[in-house]
Structure formats: structure tokens, C-alpha cells
Amino acid sequence: MNKKIILLSALAIFSFSNNSCSDDFVDVKPTEAISAQDLTLFNNNEGAESFVTAIYAKFLDWNMSTFAWIGVSSITSDDADKGSTPGDTGADKDVLDALNFNATTPSFRDLFAAHYQGINRCNQALAYLPQLNNADAGLRNRLAGEARFLRAFMYFTLVRTYGGVPIVDRLSIPGNAEDRTMLLTRKSKEEVYAFIEADLQAAIAALPDKSAYTGANVGRASKGAAYALLAKVSLYQKKWQKVIDNTNLVTGYSLTPDFAEIYKISGENNQESIFEIQGKGEAPAKGIQQYSQVQGATGAGGWGWGFNGPSQGLVDAFNAEGDTERRNATVIFRNSTLYDGRIVPSTVNNPYYNFKAYSSNYSGADNSDVNIRYLRYAEVLLMKAEALNELGQTPQAILLLNQIRDRAGISPTTATGQTDVRTAIWKERRLELAFEHDRWYDIVRTGQAQTAMAADGKTFVVGKHELFPLPQNFIDEAQGLSIQNPGY
């Protein structure tokens, strides 16, 4: 098993390298084929599972789910401020917060590389699983479905962030000119979405329902997760009927009665959870690298770095709606007592911190037991409501919207017409999904970004900020095969 782990770890390094000692952004050497002799080590059920476990493990990494990700997906938005202290830039979190970034901003490089590292692990699994003839065929089929779901999930992040990107759908051969072109050639946004949809359809055919997973397998990608992600992919393309069709196929889930319960350890993988990244929190800690720590309260009596704090605008939005239940489950307030008895003293630096990233058991550790919630049944209802409203079925949309509001303990919406209901659904997404890494992408896809950012004191440049810049070192290496996004 030690040899298996060492070999798999070596192969899990992706071809997009951040090695400052190299002039090449693309380094294809780590994707060399496993020899037939070494492959025999994996030719069993345990070995087959290890290929896909390595994909999930990528989501625990610092460059995948932590500092770059919270900067790009959250600190940029009107929901969050940089936080920490004025003198601590967090490498580039200050320029992300101010929308003053460029193509050399480190977070864009780190996030881009991390996702292609993960995609490479997916491609490894899909390449080698068919060769493991001593492993159970049904297991291998399911594992291939998980790999395709996870690859689609990563490409969805990439296309929302950068627009069109290279589609790397197989392991590359070192020195092969065709493969180098594959690695460096930017595809259109439409081509990337089509690739994601194809992966998700294949995943749906192979994956079981969530209820089939027990024990150590809880949290793996399921058929419901694939349908939910396919609905979300359709939402971003305004394929409204497909949103409805796919949300209708997300069955076996229900809203958690107590909203705050979702974000506690006791609420992980519960009846509302469709897909979340699993943070183990074992000793030695195996959780998501510093996800809780970088967002924990900072200053005297604090336990973290204080980045990605809720904005005053978000707190005001909760208050305007009378939404104390979701506000108090989303925002840690200075000079308060948390559900586990922890006192947040008046001496911490900032007035607000992200409660959804809080770990009760590992609040000061580098790695914690927090799961990141990515797909919940509440979002499925809101996606369906948005699609129904866009297709003129506004009364049905209102019913779904009010399910979410009722769970939050607030009165039914007063909106009735299509335009007002559209705005109400967008507002509900903000309050329901705050700090679940969607707000920036939501305000861009719905055309709210310029107004929302102006209200937050920031300038959103139309024609530029809809996409983030591709990393400059990738553009340099591409040598014309990929061009930069407008404005950068």
C-alpha cells in the first residue's frame, strides 16, 4: 500500500506547473503512463477506489478550496470584505476586494492550476479504471461516474471564472505536439459547457442515488448531485426548460427544518445536502487546508486570520428582510456567544466573520472538520423557481420561493409580477446562499454586478469584469494558442 500511495501521489501532480524555476507553464512529464508492472498494484477494488479518492483529496488543498478560492469567489463580491487587518493584504486579497486585479494576481494563477491538477487526476482515473480487470466491474463503472462528475464540477468553476478554457480530456504524452496544443488551446465557453454536459450525462448513467452510500462512502458524488449540477449548468446558459427538467429529477431530498443546523458537524450530509466537500478533522488533521483558520476571528481573543468577513451590505440585507435566523447562522458577531458556548470578545479586530466556515472542534487548527456545502436542495428549489418565472409560470415560482422563506422564518413574498418575482428570487439567493461561493457568479450572470458593486463602493467595469483574467504565465506559454480576456 505504501508503494501505491507514493506512486499515485507522484502521478497526481498536474501538467500545469507553478515551478518558478521553469520557463514552461506546461510540464507534461508527470502524466507519463504507469507501467504494466506498477499498474498491477492497483488491480483490485481498493486500487480502483484510490484513483478516485485522489480526486476528492485535491479539494482539500490550499490552492483549490481555501485562500485563492475565497478570494476569487467571495471577497470580490458585495457580500464580503477582505477582513483581517488593513496592513495584511493576504498576498492579493486587497486588490481582489477593490476589483483592482490583473493577469499576474496570484489567486488567478493558483486557482487555474489547482483545477487542472484535479482534472488531471480525473483523466488518470478514467484512463486506468478500464484496465483494472480484477476490480469489480460495477464498482469501476460507478467510480468512472464519480470522476466524470468531479471533472464537470471543476470545469464549471473554470468556465464561470475565466470563460473559455483548454479542454483536457485525456492524459498527455510528453513531447507530443498535438497534446501540447490540447493543453494550451483555449476553447469557447460554449464548447466547455457542452463538454461539462456530456460528462454529467455520463455520470448520471453510472452513479447511484445518495442513499446507496453508507459508512466511509458517504459524501461521494451521486445521481442527484449530477442532476443538480446539470440544472445549474443550464441555469448559467438560460436553458430554462432544462433547468426545470433536471431539478425535477433531484429526488429524495428535503429542506433541513433548522437552517443553522446545516452548518454544524451534526448537519453534514443531511437530508438537504446534495454535494459537499468532506473535511475529516482527524488527528493528524486531514481536513480542508486552513479553510476555517483563514476565516476565523482575528485579534485579541480570536482564533484565525479574519479574512473574508461579511460586508455591512450583507448584514443590512438580512436586517431589511427581518431575516434574523439566516443572518445569525451566517454572521459571527463581535461580542457574542456562539452555539457551542465560545465567546467572541469585543477585542477581536472586525465586527463580522463568516459563520459558515466555523469549526467548533478545530477552531484554531490549521485543518478542520468543516465541510464546504456546494449543492443544497434549497438551491434546487430556487433554480426551479427562477426558471419557472422566466417561462411565465410565476405563481408556481412563488410557491417554491415561499418554501425557502418559510424555512427561514420570514413572511411570504409580496412580489406578484414576473419582474418583481425575478428580483425577489435573486435577493433570496443572496440571503440563502451567502458565503457558499456563488454570489460573485450570480451577480454577473444576472446582470446585477455593476449596480451591486456600486452599492458596495466598488466599480464594476462592464465588458471587463464579467470574467477574471487568465493567468499571465499561461498566456505567455500558450504563445498565441490562447488569448487574454478583454481588459487585461
Side-chain angles (χ1 to χ4, degrees), residues 257-275:
D258 179 3
F259 181 82
E261 182 69 19
I262 298 169
Y263 307 99
K264 300 175 185 178
I265 296 300
S266 55
E268 291 178 350
N269 305 304
N270 68 7
Q271 72 266 32
E272 185 167 339
S273 172
I274 297 175
F275 184 67

Side-chain angles (χ1 to χ4, degrees), residues 418-478:
Q418 185 186 51
T419 300
D420 288 345
V421 170
R422 179 185 296 122
T423 301
I425 291 168
W426 291 348
K427 182 194 298 183
E428 207 65 32
R429 284 186 65 90
R430 182 184 193 185
L431 302 180
E432 178 72 24
L433 303 173
F435 288 95
E436 295 180 39
H437 304 286
D438 262 338
R439 176 61 178 173
W440 174 267
Y441 301 111
D442 259 354
I443 61 176
V444 169
R445 76 170 177 86
T446 57
Q448 301 176 79
Q450 187 177 34
T451 300
M453 299 311 291
D456 197 40
K458 304 173 187 178
T459 300
F460 181 95
V461 179
V462 175
K464 174 182 179 180
H465 285 143
E466 290 86 354
L467 296 174
F468 293 120
L470 288 158
Q472 189 59 48
N473 51 349
F474 169 74
I475 294 295
D476 292 343
E477 180 66 14

Side-chain angles (χ1 to χ4, degrees), residues 8-275:
L8 192 59
S9 296
L11 288 163
I13 303 169
F14 180 56
S15 51
F16 289 108
S17 171
N18 283 319
N19 186 347
S20 61
C21 297
S22 172
D23 292 329
D24 290 336
F25 188 64
V26 174
D27 173 11
V28 294
K29 291 180 181 178
T31 62
E32 290 184 71
I34 300 176
S35 69
Q37 180 179 354
D38 284 336
L39 193 61
T40 61
L41 294 168
F42 297 94
N43 199 357
N44 50 56
N45 287 352
E46 185 181 44
E49 287 183 343
S50 69
F51 276 101
V52 178
T53 299
I55 308 171
Y56 288 103
K58 182 60 198 172
F59 286 96
L60 305 180
D61 285 355
W62 167 264
N63 67 348
M64 185 75 158
S65 298
T66 306
F67 219 28
W69 179 229
I70 66 171
V72 171
S73 67
S74 193
I75 291 174
T76 52
S77 80
D78 57 339
D79 273 2
D81 295 323
K82 174 185 73 70
S84 187
T85 60
D88 189 350
T89 66
D92 61 5
K93 305 307 173 290
D94 55 339
V95 297
L96 292 173
D97 195 13
L99 302 189
N100 194 30
F101 43 76
N102 58 45
T104 62
T105 299
S107 287
F108 300 123
R109 175 200 65 206
D110 293 348
L111 196 66
F112 189 82
H115 279 75
Y116 278 107
Q117 288 163 7
I119 288 164
N120 189 62
R121 297 187 189 192
C122 296
N123 291 340
Q124 287 168 357
L126 292 168
Y128 292 117
L129 282 171
Q131 302 178 48
L132 305 180
N133 59 315
N134 289 337
D136 180 79
L139 173 64
R140 285 186 288 147
N141 184 59
R142 189 203 82 198
L143 291 169
E146 292 179 52
R148 288 190 182 276
F149 170 85
L150 294 169
R151 188 168 67 177
F153 186 86
M154 287 182 264
Y155 268 114
F156 184 50
T157 295
L158 288 170
V159 74
R160 290 192 297 168
T161 302
Y162 304 102
V165 292
I167 295 176
V168 183
D169 61 355
R170 64 182 186 277
L171 296 180
S172 61
I173 300 172
N176 183 288
E178 181 181 346
D179 284 353
R180 184 175 179 82
T181 299
M182 171 186 68
L183 294 166
L184 293 170
T185 301
R186 186 178 187 184
K187 299 295 186 180
S188 70
K189 177 180 67 176
E190 292 75 19
E191 288 174 302
V192 177
Y193 273 122
F195 183 76
I196 292 169
E197 290 169 345
D199 259 355
L200 289 174
Q201 292 292 358
I204 286 166
L207 292 174
D209 291 333
K210 176 185 174 180
S211 59
Y213 292 120
T214 59
N217 286 324
V218 168
R220 288 181 176 271
S222 66
K223 193 181 296 291
Y227 276 127
L229 184 55
L230 188 56
K232 195 164 183 175
V233 168
S234 299
L235 183 78
Y236 274 73
Q237 299 175 87
K238 302 185 188 303
K239 297 179 178 179
W240 304 119
Q241 188 57 52
K242 287 187 178 295
V243 174
I244 295 168
D245 293 343
N246 285 300
T247 54
N248 284 340
L249 294 168
V250 182
T251 58
Y253 303 88
S254 60
L255 296 178
T256 305
D258 179 3
F259 181 82
E261 182 69 19
I262 298 169
Y263 307 99
K264 300 175 185 178
I265 296 300
S266 55
E268 291 178 350
N269 305 304
N270 68 7
Q271 72 266 32
E272 185 167 339
S273 172
I274 297 175
F275 184 67

Side-chain angles (χ1 to χ4, degrees), residues 299-353:
W303 58 91
W305 299 6
F307 285 95
N308 199 34
S311 67
Q312 187 62 52
L314 176 62
V315 174
D316 290 346
F318 280 119
N319 291 339
E321 204 67 19
D323 191 352
T324 57
E325 184 169 342
R326 288 186 296 195
R327 182 198 66 192
N328 293 343
T330 303
V331 182
I332 290 175
F333 290 88
R334 183 166 54 192
N335 200 26
S336 66
T337 301
L338 306 186
Y339 66 83
D340 58 359
R342 173 183 285 277
I343 295 173
V344 186
S346 60
T347 51
V348 297
N349 289 338
N350 301 315
Y352 312 127
Y353 298 92

